[in-house]
Every structure is written in structure tokens, then in C-alpha cells.
Amino acid sequence: MDSLPDAIVQYILSHMSNAKDVASCTCVSKRWQDSIPYLRRLYFPRNLFDNLSGGNTSDSIVRQMIASIFQLEELVVYCPFSSAGLSSWLSLAGSCIRNLELRMDNLVEHMTCVDHPSKLDCIGAALNLETLKLWGVMMINSPKWDTFLKLQTLEIVGARLEDFALCDALKACPNLTHLVLLGCEGLKSVSIELPQLEQCKLDFYGLGNCLISITSPKLEFLEVQGCSWIRVPETQCLRELSIANNSGRVYMVDFGKLMALESLSVRGVQWCWEAISKMLELASEVKHLYMKVEFTGDFEALLPFPEVDFVEFFNSHRKLQKFEIHGAMFAALCQKNSLKNVDARFVIPCLKEVIITVRSPLNAEQKMSTLESLIKYGNHLKKMIIKILQMKSSHSSTDDFFEDICRFRYLNRQIVSIE
């Protein structure tokens, strides 16, 4: 590297970000040391300062490194730090930083820490942020932020939040295009109004009874976990939608027309049948449908799915190309009346792949009839995967059903496989 021009050396070294590597480079030569101010990114790993000595602190070392850089654009800090340290760093580089990622470690801050301002409040000094990612956040009070006009991506992972605090934080980020809230606790009713939002991923812990309302006309991707009531009135751009509730029930879904929807995933232990029916009705243009809901029922009682007419279902989803179906929904499609008096013109026009999970040998004859019908009417079907999951029974019907599936697989071995 001695023969390279300074600009090339600076360009090569500018691709470093790990603080330990940066510190090592300052010891190589004066030429390398002189290139450090041209770095754009700094990353401080979790255990970087575990063995500090000589009276140094992580806050002071991070400040010293930030102060040595002309225009820092990205700062990632996973090592422990104080609010005073964060405030001092952002006083130096806050106007330059575009991407900020912090491991906050303040989930118990309200009980054990008296720092003022809080770490969250300190972030307000970085007004030119474009991306903000926070881990381990306590947000029981509204952060004292001005408006982040340039912020497009906000990710919060592992958080304890109050409804009003999250609402106020989002109001300070009016131009978000990407929002991710993962592993969040404490929320009961959340209203999100972000006109530029395109992608949204929400994962709420707790009883699974949160109410969520999203008003974002440009929304293209939405994933929601842990909500019982979901309202998204403007959906003309929505292409991918996933709704799950592993802890509670899904009582109500209220969506606008889903004419652009290509992929729908519906998962959970219990959904009200009205909510399932409405989602299937709205998603008539869907190309990929994944259904894994165990039971229906409006209240405590867990009820099986009512009969779903096989012909009517596929006539209502003419564009369906990939269908992943689990237990209860498959059983609902296999009722005796579904395949009686099928019109000779009936076909499943676009279906190319089916993945079916079977958990019970009950109604084996009807289930085999449904499998055969998928082959018969699916003119373009190229792959069928049958997953046998936890089918435990001492009755001979289990063995007979498994033999029927194996025979079916053999007769259609170019298409069908068993897992």
C-alpha cells in the first residue's frame, strides 16, 4: 500500500467500521493514522470494553474516536453507554449522522437510572437521521424529539411501550417509509398515521388483545402479530399481508379493497369465522395463500371450521398459484358436499403448487377425494407436498389412511411428495 496515492488508501480504509480495527490501524503508520478522519462508519461491539483499565470509560473512548472523524455518517453502538455519553457524542456528530443504531439496555431504566435527559431524549439531537434502530427500549414517557423530517426507517426491537408514548414518537417521524416494532410489550391500542409508509412489521407480546389501526395509503407490505382487532382502511397498494396471533384470538379485521394483494398469510390458534371469511372474500386476487389457523369460535369455545365449498373457494380465487394449507382449513375443504355435482367446465386455472399439512385420519375418504380433485382440476399443478404431522392414533384407520396417501403419491409421483 506504500505505492498507492493517499486518496486510494483513504478509500480502502473508509470501508472499515469495527472500532477495534480502526484503533489498530492508527498504530500501523502515520499515513494510516492520517486517513482515519475520512471514515464514514463506526461500530462498537457488545463486549469491546469489558477489560478496560487506566480509568478510561466506554463513553470517553467512543467520544474520542468520534471526535477524530470529520464527517461520521453511521454510528452503531452495542457496548454499554450512559445518556451523558450519548449526549456528548451527538453534540459532536449529530448533524452529520444519517444512520444510528443503539443497544439501549434501559428496560429497567425508570427504576434504576436517574439520568437526565434520558437516552431517548438525547437522540433528538441527530435531526438529520435517515435510519434509526433501537434495541432494548423503555418508552413509558413520550420522547422529547423535534421532527425528524429525513427519517425514513425506524426499527425498535425488544421494547416496553405505552400507547401515547409510541404515538408521540411516530408523530415526530412523519416521513417514515419503513417501520418495524418487534417484541414490544405494553401496547393496548395503537393508531399509526404515516402517509409515506410502505413497509410495516409489528410484533406485540402479551395477551394478544391489542387493537391496531393503520392509515397509510402507500402501504405495500404489512405483517402483524399479536392483535385481536386490525383496521387498515387504505389498501390500494398492499401487495403482501400477514396476520398472526399466537396468544389471543383474532376477532375483527377491517380492510379496504385488496385488489393489489398477491400474498396473504393467516395464522393463529383461534380466529372468529367472520374474520376468516372476510379475509378470504377480500383476497380474491391473491396468488399465494398460507393458512394455519387451528380453530374458530367467537368466545372461549374452540370450534372446528364450518364446511368450505371446494368449487366455490377456487372459483373465488382464480389467480391462486401457491396454496399452503394446514389441518383445519384442509378438513373444511374435505366435507362431503363440496365435490357433489361439479360442473364439467370447472378448473383451477393458475394453481401450480399445493402444500398440505394433515394431522388427523378422520374423514379419510373425503380427504383423499379432495387430494384427487386438486390433481384432477388443477390443470397446471406441478407440485403437491403432503406433510404428515403428529398423526397419533392406535386405530387401524391411521395406517389405512397413510397407505392411501402412499398409494396416491405413487400414482402421481411426478407431482406428489410426502414429508
Side-chain angles (χ1 to χ4, degrees):
M1 292 179 68
D2 290 342
S3 62
L4 294 176
D6 287 346
I8 300 298
V9 174
Q10 290 168 7
Y11 177 78
I12 293 172
L13 296 181
S14 70
H15 284 76
M16 289 190 310
S17 60
N18 190 296
K20 187 175 182 180
D21 296 336
V22 173
S24 298
C25 281
T26 62
C27 303
V28 174
S29 68
K30 185 177 186 303
R31 190 167 180 239
W32 282 32
Q33 185 177 16
D34 291 344
S35 298
I36 296 304
Y38 299 97
L39 291 177
R40 292 290 181 263
R41 296 175 292 275
L42 275 179
Y43 162 58
F44 295 86
R46 177 67 176 168
N47 301 316
L48 182 61
F49 300 120
D50 282 358
N51 300 311
L52 280 181
S53 61
N56 291 318
T57 65
S58 59
D59 285 350
S60 62
I61 296 174
V62 175
R63 177 184 169 86
Q64 182 180 355
M65 296 190 70
I66 290 175
S68 67
I69 297 174
F70 289 152
Q71 193 168 358
L72 187 67
E73 295 181 356
E74 181 174 332
L75 177 62
V76 179
V77 183
Y78 287 168
C79 64
F81 63 91
S82 67
S83 61
L86 179 60
S87 178
S88 69
W89 310 337
L90 296 183
S91 67
L92 292 172
S95 62
C96 301
I97 294 177
R98 299 292 182 266
N99 305 316
L100 180 62
E101 183 170 354
L102 302 172
R103 181 162 178 163
M104 304 289 279
D105 285 343
N106 66 340
L107 284 175
V108 293
E109 187 176 80
H110 68 298
M111 296 182 291
T112 62
C113 183
V114 293
D115 286 349
H116 295 287
S118 69
K119 293 178 182 178
L120 275 174
D121 292 344
C122 292
I123 294 172
L127 284 176
N128 291 315
L129 285 178
E130 297 173 3
T131 299
L132 176 60
K133 300 180 181 181
L134 305 174
W135 300 72
V137 180
M138 170 68 71
M139 192 185 290
I140 59 173
N141 298 309
S142 299
K144 296 177 182 178
W145 292 345
D146 290 328
T147 305
F148 292 106
L149 291 175
K150 296 181 179 180
L151 191 66
Q152 294 185 330
T153 299
L154 174 63
E155 295 186 12
I156 299 177
V157 181
R160 193 169 300 155
L161 310 173
E162 291 290 343
D163 294 344
F164 71 92
L166 176 61
C167 181
D168 289 343
L170 294 179
K171 286 180 180 178
C173 312
N175 297 316
L176 285 181
T177 60
H178 294 71
L179 174 64
V180 176
L181 304 175
L182 299 182
C184 296
E185 299 180 73
L187 295 170
K188 299 179 180 65
S189 178
V190 180
S191 179
I192 298 173
E193 297 183 17
L194 295 168
Q196 305 302 322
L197 192 64
E198 298 175 0
Q199 298 193 25
C200 183
K201 186 173 183 177
L202 309 174
D203 180 9
F204 300 147
Y205 280 174
L207 300 176
N209 58 354
C210 184
L211 183 152
I212 183 76
S213 176
I214 302 174
T215 305
S216 301
K218 295 183 179 181
L219 193 63
E220 297 179 2
F221 171 90
L222 175 61
E223 183 173 331
V224 180
Q225 148 62 29
C227 292
S228 289
W229 294 268
I230 304 160
R231 181 176 181 272
V232 188
E234 299 181 74
T235 55
Q236 58 267 30
C237 296
L238 193 61
R239 294 184 294 104
E240 295 184 43
L241 173 61
S242 175
I243 303 174
N245 196 335
N246 298 325
S247 301
R249 302 173 184 85
V250 177
Y251 288 108
M252 185 274 290
V253 291
D254 182 8
F255 285 82
K257 292 183 178 180
L258 297 172
M259 299 305 294
L261 194 68
E262 296 181 358
S263 177
L264 172 63
S265 175
V266 176
R267 294 170 290 134
V269 176
Q270 183 180 5
W271 280 52
C272 292
W273 182 248
E274 183 180 351
I276 296 176
S277 299
K278 188 168 186 178
M279 286 308 310
L280 292 176
E281 179 183 350
L282 290 171
S284 59
E285 304 296 309
V286 74
K287 296 178 181 178
H288 179 187
L289 178 58
Y290 178 94
M291 295 196 66
K292 185 182 179 181
V293 178
E294 301 292 341
F295 301 99
T296 185
D298 293 341
F299 302 104
E300 296 294 331
L302 300 175
L303 303 177
F305 283 16
E307 179 176 338
V308 176
D309 187 274
F310 182 93
V311 175
E312 182 180 326
F313 174 83
F314 284 105
N315 278 338
S316 300
H317 300 86
R318 304 285 292 177
K319 296 182 180 180
L320 192 61
Q321 296 179 9
K322 184 176 181 180
F323 190 20
E324 298 183 58
I325 185 171
H326 191 283
M329 182 63 181
F330 178 59
L333 277 172
C334 297
Q335 303 299 318
K336 290 183 178 180
N337 296 324
S338 292
L339 293 167
K340 286 184 176 180
N341 303 318
V342 178
D343 192 312
R345 296 169 295 177
F346 170 68
V347 293
I348 307 174
C350 298
L351 192 64
K352 296 179 180 179
E353 182 176 354
V354 180
I355 302 173
I356 301 168
T357 300
V358 182
R359 300 187 62 175
S360 168
L362 295 176
N363 300 317
E365 183 180 347
Q366 288 88 347
K367 289 178 179 177
M368 292 307 305
S369 176
T370 300
L371 293 175
E372 291 165 358
S373 297
L374 287 168
I375 296 287
K376 179 179 179 181
Y377 299 111
N379 292 348
H380 296 94
L381 192 65
K382 292 180 171 58
K383 181 187 294 186
M384 176 185 289
I385 300 174
I386 303 173
K387 297 182 178 181
I388 310 296
L389 183 64
Q390 298 176 343
M391 191 182 292
K392 298 178 180 178
S393 174
S394 57
H395 197 273
S396 61
S397 62
T398 302
D399 293 335
D400 294 341
F401 183 39
F402 186 73
E403 287 181 7
D404 289 340
I405 290 177
C406 290
R407 189 179 302 109
F408 172 75
R409 187 262 178 195
Y410 177 77
L411 294 174
N412 302 278
R413 52 188 175 276
Q414 293 182 336
I415 297 176
V416 180
S417 61
I418 300 175
E419 296 183 1

